[in-house]
Amino acid sequence: MPKLTIDGIAVEVPPNTTILQAAESVGVEIPRFCYHDRLSIAGNCRMCLVDVEKSPKPVASCAMPVGEGMVVHTKSDRANKARGGVMEFLLINHPLDCPICDQGGECDLQDQAMAYGFDRGRFHENKRAVKDKYMGPVIETVMTRCIHCTRCVRFATEVAGVPQLGATGRGEDMEITTYLEGALASEMSGNVVDLCPVGALTSKPYAFNARPWELRKTESVDVMDAVGTNIRVDARGRTVLRVLPRVNEDVNEEWLADKSRHACDGLRYQRLDQPYVRVNGKLKAASWDETFAVIVGKLSGINGSKVAAIAGDTVDAESMLALKDLLTALGSPNLDCRQDGAALDPTVRASYLFNSTIAGIEQADALVIIGSNPRKEAPVLNARIRKRYLKGNFQVTVVGDAVDLTYKHKHLGNDLAAFFQSPEAPAGAKNPMIIVGMGALSRPDGAAILAAARAYAEAIGAVKDGWNGFNVLHTAAARVGGLDLGFVPGQGGKDTRGILDAAGKGEIEVVYLLGADEIDTAKLGNAFVIYQGHHGDRGAHRADVVLPGAAYTEKDGTYVNTEGRVQRGLRAVFPPGDAREDWTIIRALSEKLGKTLPYDNMAQVRARLNFVNPLFGTVDKVQPAEWKAFGAAGQISSGSASSPITNYYMTDPISRASRTMAQCTEEFVMGSKQKTGTHG
Amino acid sequence: MSNRSLAKEQPASFAFNAEYLARAKVVIAKYPPGRQASAVIPLLDFAQRQEGWVTRPAIEEIGKMLDMATMRVLEVATFYTMFNLEPVGKTHVQVCTSLPCWLRGSNEVVKACKEKLSLGMGERSADGAFSLGELECSGACVNAPVIQIGDDYYEDVDYASTGKLLDAFKRGETPAHGSAIGRMGSAPAGDQITLTENPTPPPKQDFAAAKAAFEKAKAEAAAKAAAPKA
């Protein structure tokens, strides 16, 4: 453990720590552009120069390991002068166009120029100019501003696993570009915008929309996938302008997937901002009272068993709880939160959780993926798998789609029956883990697959004291929350498939869809459909009554991610028009129906949530689940276990309404546009 | 040096011929498994020798052969000015215009090339016989100015000798490379001005006497150490 002195503070750090890291550990901040603690060290910006005694020259602290007895001065005249010189060189070829630059106000170069910049330039020659590059629908480029820190190149190569970015040429002619100027084909590409310390890479959808000081920042949780990425929602007035990641080492580190980041413009289009009632086959705007009267009229005199409810993929736990309580009060056992019909066992919590936790992936030494494509289903989680893979000694086996997961893996075909007949165990693994995806579990024989996967996990030693490597990767943010609070068929109740069948036959007369858009609405037959949600999507098209609810940025909500981590999102903006927070709609309806729910405010709803399942009280923590038998014996039919996500960019009503996601779909899913002469 | 990017018009495909494929395999085998990417520069060179320039299909093929991202190969190809990213003439004339050569008159050499070949910098003649380009410091500053044609350096050139040189190439000859003023390697251009007289041999030494003196001193020291202390 070398001991050194930094600005007069004695510090002892592990060997191989860099001076910059050691300085950070005692709260001494050193300016930097190229250094980033989650990327490899490049040492090419030279901004982090410090003065080390007995060293003839200033030292780049990001790349210099500490030594015993070093005496470092980070604020000496020599260090300041060196940084001033570096800054002057950086600004030689940097256009001083801050007033028209989107990074203005949150630009590292701008901030550090305030500290180290000279008050005038001494460079009177022509500055260089660089042609802007095309990098896809979400990244705007102004390459003249680039200072060649290569953070974006290292991110694409190391974290995203798509080595398409690079620096061509050299010296003054160095340019950052993608290969042949194609779009950066990664689900994580938006992160290079956060990493860019200047305004060279900025967000295309957010271009010229706002300055950072105009925005109201609200901490929240993402619902576009089941990872529960921690986000910050930036809004101005009633509009969400952008979504940025927050740091959470246990979940997303500091990354955010493109859909979660850029689907927010979908919150502005296709919104349900007032209640509708279907009259003579057409939806007509109505008031809340009229709408409730129609529902009350329909529900009165109907046996509870003829009523059913399906909860969607992005619903918060509070509204699911309210709807469950309402259905129970009406005497209906027909409710399900598994739109895709996945055979998840709600009685055993370990059977539907990502038990090893996302951070726990780094402790595993082998991975078997069954019927899942984590790159599309949970890009941030896939980045964690890649991080583990890069450390070496990590074998990955895949049964399912043959796809590029950004890490090397052994593909064992796409036939689950064949795989489970002669399962192949990862050789010599101490902490193996398996990921079972919805591609496998949502098949009609899902229960048998779940049992087979459990047996397989036990056989390869993935479940033992101190290690549970049995993982279910969900595709829906609401799924684990729904299962935890028991939004599943009650005694003799029907599940999603059963509800659709019965509705088609006329046995179920009223179906309540709470943000459920991923079911086949054609199967609902002649049932009376109440749709509560925020977007005019599939559910609303079929609905007889539409109740306008709030999207995830417009309500306080509790979400449980695929690990079973309870997280709370906060309201960033108000819902549009007459739309209301979802649980309040159900509460109001219950009063009209004469079955008033016993809660009037959020605190009471959360108290009820804690009562239903005490786990909801342990926010931001993962409670290990007890390992028990689950699944059902049965025949596994041969057939593929393809991921349910065919188009990553459009999986829910918000992303389907988003223009940016439509552009991404066009670029990445439908194949690159044929470039014409006008494309530069 | 200007911005280097891939040529607009590219051939459809690339494959190493048998000779270069064999040589490529030898180079790749020099590096331990997983480190094949180290062979990228020799392979790009082979591709250039085979095709005359580095084509996009060649970059992609080399990326596949070395299991490295195409972008990484492109980075290397654009970094080194020795790789021609556009087709060059059969005789590719490159004039070093870096500072030492410029001080020694490379402007005149460039002028001679432009006149003789009727080409501008970076241009190729219509019949594909000649092309003219600049060269970053060729590392032969002692013999500046320098022209590189193929793998050969033509050194100590000036306006007149450049003209003669290019005329010879136009006739289809390949003149001997090296100094145009006939000096040997990097030896002084004129007469020697230092070390002109024969070196004096070192003075003769009597090694036997020196050894005897050493032995004597050693024996005395031993006797002194062995003597009882007074």
Side-chain angles (χ1 to χ4, degrees):
Chain A
M1 297 275 280
K3 290 180 191 138
L4 68 161
T5 315
I6 299 174
D7 285 352
I9 307 167
V11 53
E12 190 171 352
V13 289
N16 297 326
T17 314
T18 62
I19 296 178
L20 191 144
Q21 287 166 332
E24 255 178 10
S25 70
V26 292
V28 174
E29 202 183 321
I30 296 176
R32 84 287 302 266
F33 292 114
C34 72
Y35 175 80
H36 192 277
D37 39 350
R38 288 177 219 282
L39 304 174
S40 63
I41 294 168
N44 54 12
C45 77
R46 315 311 286 180
M47 196 60 201
C48 63
L49 292 175
V50 295
D51 199 3
V52 179
E53 277 185 16
K54 291 179 192 158
S55 161
K57 294 189 286 183
V59 167
S61 60
C62 73
M64 182 69 159
V66 294
E68 181 65 44
M70 261 184 183
V71 182
V72 180
H73 302 285
T74 68
K75 296 182 177 69
S76 69
D77 285 346
R78 192 160 75 139
N80 278 337
K81 194 176 167 220
R83 290 177 200 163
V86 169
M87 178 59 76
E88 195 173 355
F89 275 120
L90 285 176
L91 292 180
I92 275 181
N93 272 326
H94 189 82
L96 301 179
D97 60 350
C98 304
I100 56 152
C101 175
D102 236 7
Q103 192 88 349
E106 48 188 358
C107 173
D108 289 357
L109 187 64
Q110 204 178 27
D111 294 349
Q112 291 177 31
M114 290 302 290
Y116 299 100
F118 195 46
D119 64 350
R120 70 209 68 173
R122 291 188 286 176
F123 181 75
H124 301 295
E125 286 74 19
N126 289 332
K127 292 191 178 218
R128 77 177 197 143
V130 182
K131 215 180 105 197
D132 294 344
K133 307 288 188 297
Y134 178 73
M135 289 192 189
V138 301
I139 306 170
E140 176 76 49
T141 64
V142 184
M143 296 318 286
T144 306
R145 297 182 189 139
C146 177
I147 59 168
H148 301 153
C149 68
T150 68
R151 272 187 190 180
C152 53
V153 176
R154 283 173 284 148
F155 173 82
T157 311
E158 292 160 19
V159 179
V162 283
Q164 293 170 352
L165 266 177
T168 62
R170 66 176 177 191
E172 197 193 16
D173 299 298
M174 181 167 153
E175 291 186 8
I176 301 290
T177 178
T178 49
Y179 187 65
L180 305 181
E181 292 195 36
L184 183 59
S186 167
E187 292 74 28
M188 308 269 290
S189 68
N191 290 301
V192 298
V193 172
D194 289 347
L195 288 170
C196 185
V198 295
L201 307 178
T202 52
S203 169
K204 213 175 235 179
Y206 173 72
F208 309 123
N209 266 331
R211 285 297 187 193
W213 55 82
E214 298 175 306
L215 301 169
R216 201 171 56 250
K217 296 147 181 107
T218 314
E219 301 199 335
S220 190
V221 179
D222 172 57
V223 299
M224 298 290 158
D225 55 35
V227 176
T229 307
N230 290 204
I231 55 170
R232 192 187 88 191
V233 180
D234 284 6
R236 185 179 57 192
R238 302 191 70 151
T239 320
V240 174
L241 288 178
R242 64 173 178 180
V243 172
L244 295 177
R246 274 189 292 144
V247 175
N248 187 335
E249 297 294 342
D250 293 330
V251 182
N252 56 311
E253 298 187 295
E254 61 175 273
W255 314 125
L256 182 59
D258 278 0
K259 181 170 54 181
S260 313
R261 185 188 296 265
H262 289 297
C264 63
D265 66 334
L267 294 167
R268 301 204 282 273
Y269 308 114
Q270 296 277 346
R271 289 306 301 269
L272 301 172
D273 56 356
Q274 57 183 357
Y276 290 90
V277 177
R278 195 174 289 276
V279 183
N280 297 330
K282 275 192 175 169
L283 285 174
K284 281 219 167 117
S287 71
W288 279 107
D289 281 340
E290 290 162 14
T291 315
F292 282 157
V294 171
I295 300 174
V296 171
K298 187 76 197 174
L299 279 176
S300 55
I302 283 190
N303 188 320
S305 64
K306 296 194 168 180
V307 181
I310 300 174
D313 289 352
T314 59
V315 190
D316 56 314
E318 286 85 353
S319 47
M320 276 192 282
L321 175 78
L323 185 57
K324 185 194 170 198
D325 286 348
L326 177 64
L327 266 272
T328 311
L330 290 170
S332 163
N334 308 319
L335 45 140
D336 204 346
C337 63
R338 298 160 294 188
Q339 284 189 83
D340 52 5
L344 299 159
D345 189 341
T347 56
V348 185
R349 196 161 189 257
S351 76
Y352 58 82
L353 287 191
F354 202 92
N355 289 301
S356 72
T357 73
I358 294 172
I361 292 172
E362 291 178 41
Q363 266 78 56
D365 52 8
L367 168 63
V368 182
I369 299 175
I370 300 168
S372 174
N373 177 357
R375 183 170 172 187
K376 303 282 179 208
E377 291 169 21
V380 173
L381 187 141
N382 197 52
R384 191 73 83 126
I385 299 175
R386 177 168 164 82
K387 184 181 176 190
R388 172 66 192 86
Y389 164 80
L390 288 179
K391 282 186 192 156
N393 191 24
F394 187 60
Q395 38 173 331
V396 185
T397 319
V398 175
V399 191
D401 293 332
V403 287
D404 175 13
L405 291 173
T406 72
Y407 36 85
K408 279 194 182 135
H409 58 266
K410 191 170 158 196
H411 186 240
L412 294 181
N414 196 2
D415 188 350
L416 290 187
F419 173 74
F420 282 119
Q421 249 161 32
S422 55
E424 196 174 309
K430 273 191 218 136
N431 283 344
M433 61 184 276
I434 72 169
I435 293 180
V436 188
M438 291 304 124
L441 296 180
S442 60
R443 285 173 29 156
D445 53 355
I449 293 171
L450 190 65
R454 179 178 66 94
Y456 175 66
E458 283 170 354
I460 63 172
V463 183
K464 57 192 173 199
D465 277 351
W467 176 253
N468 188 341
F470 178 84
N471 299 308
V472 173
L473 180 57
H474 291 273
T475 52
R479 195 76 83 243
V480 176
L483 293 167
D484 276 352
L485 63 84
F487 203 97
V488 287
Q491 199 73 39
K494 297 183 168 69
D495 62 4
T496 302
R497 281 198 186 93
I499 292 170
L500 291 177
D501 276 355
K505 286 182 205 151
E507 290 162 17
I508 282 180
E509 293 179 15
V510 179
V511 181
Y512 199 121
L513 301 179
L514 179 62
D517 292 280
E518 317 304 323
I519 51 169
D520 186 356
T521 49
K523 287 188 181 163
L524 286 168
N526 293 322
F528 182 80
V529 177
I530 304 165
Y531 178 79
Q532 177 180 341
H534 40 79
H535 273 75
D537 208 79
R538 292 168 198 164
H541 282 301
R542 170 60 186 82
D544 294 292
V545 170
V546 173
L547 304 173
Y552 69 110
T553 51
E554 294 153 6
K555 59 187 170 191
D556 293 337
T558 303
Y559 302 94
V560 190
N561 81 351
T562 191
E563 305 167 282
R565 186 186 302 272
V566 179
Q567 302 188 109
R568 293 219 165 121
L570 298 177
R571 181 176 62 207
V573 292
F574 286 99
D578 275 347
R580 292 291 179 269
E581 291 194 27
D582 290 273
W583 78 266
T584 60
I585 296 171
I586 297 161
R587 164 69 180 71
L589 178 62
S590 72
E591 196 173 334
K592 300 278 179 193
L593 288 166
K595 316 261 184 197
T596 311
L597 296 173
Y599 24 82
D600 298 329
N601 57 40
M602 193 49 128
Q604 288 172 351
V605 180
R606 294 214 165 132
R608 165 87 183 130
L609 207 50
N610 285 0
F611 174 76
V612 170
N613 191 339
L615 283 164
F616 283 101
T618 57
V619 177
D620 289 338
K621 288 192 186 69
V622 172
Q623 301 291 338
E626 198 189 339
W627 188 253
K628 282 191 229 162
F630 54 80
Q635 186 69 34
I636 298 174
S637 56
S638 89
S640 68
S642 298
S643 170
I645 296 182
T646 47
N647 175 4
Y648 163 73
Y649 297 97
M650 288 191 175
T651 54
D652 59 294
I654 300 173
S655 55
R656 278 195 289 265
S658 158
R659 281 184 188 183
T660 314
M661 291 298 104
Q663 285 164 357
C664 288
T665 305
E666 195 181 353
E667 175 73 50
F668 298 116
V669 182
M670 295 160 76
S672 202
K673 284 175 283 190
Q674 209 64 45
K675 283 206 173 186
T676 62
T678 54
H679 278 88
Chain B
M1 194 176 76
S2 58
N3 180 28
R4 289 164 53 80
S5 55
L6 291 174
K8 281 232 160 64
E9 281 174 33
Q10 295 281 352
S13 64
F14 171 85
F16 278 117
N17 62 27
E19 182 205 341
Y20 283 117
L21 192 62
R23 286 177 69 180
K25 279 182 182 156
V26 171
V27 174
I28 294 171
K30 282 185 191 170
Y31 302 101
R35 306 275 176 206
Q36 316 88 325
S38 303
V40 65
I41 292 178
L43 259 63
L44 282 167
D45 182 51
F46 293 157
Q48 173 159 315
R49 279 167 198 282
Q50 183 181 317
E51 304 281 294
W53 58 297
V54 177
T55 62
R56 195 183 81 206
I59 286 175
E60 284 162 6
E61 172 69 20
I62 289 169
K64 269 185 223 148
M65 282 173 78
L66 302 180
D67 194 21
M68 63 194 285
T70 337
M71 189 66 217
R72 297 282 96 80
V73 187
L74 181 70
E75 283 179 333
V76 175
T78 55
F79 187 93
Y80 294 102
T81 52
M82 297 77 168
F83 294 124
N84 304 316
L85 298 180
E86 300 205 332
V88 294
K90 193 162 157 279
T91 307
H92 183 44
V93 181
Q94 290 170 288
V95 185
C96 180
T97 52
S98 292
L99 187 68
C101 284
W102 177 77
L103 285 170
R104 298 278 295 152
S106 66
N107 276 1
E108 287 299 301
V109 178
V110 170
K111 195 174 144 212
C113 291
K114 284 181 175 173
E115 287 172 9
K116 272 285 170 217
L117 302 174
S118 309
L119 290 174
M121 268 299 165
E123 286 180 4
R124 188 165 66 121
S125 61
D127 59 356
F130 283 93
S131 58
L132 182 59
E134 267 180 317
L135 181 67
E136 291 302 321
C137 182
S138 48
C141 311
V142 181
N143 298 59
V146 175
I147 295 177
Q148 184 186 353
I149 297 175
D151 286 339
D152 297 330
Y153 280 2
Y154 295 89
E155 300 155 342
D156 301 323
V157 287
D158 57 13
Y159 184 85
S161 56
T162 305
K164 275 188 217 152
L165 180 71
L166 294 177
D167 281 336
F169 272 102
K170 276 188 172 177
R171 290 193 299 271
E173 299 164 13
T174 307
H177 56 87
S179 172
I181 54 172
R183 66 167 151 156
M184 173 85 81
S186 302
D191 286 336
Q192 262 181 310
I193 52 169
T194 57
L195 303 175
T196 43
E197 68 273 17
N198 282 335
T200 42
K204 254 192 167 174
Q205 287 190 351
D206 190 348
F207 288 108
K211 192 179 177 190
F214 174 72
E215 294 290 343
K216 193 180 165 206
K218 200 172 154 189
E220 273 172 14
K224 201 175 174 188
K229 283 196 178 119

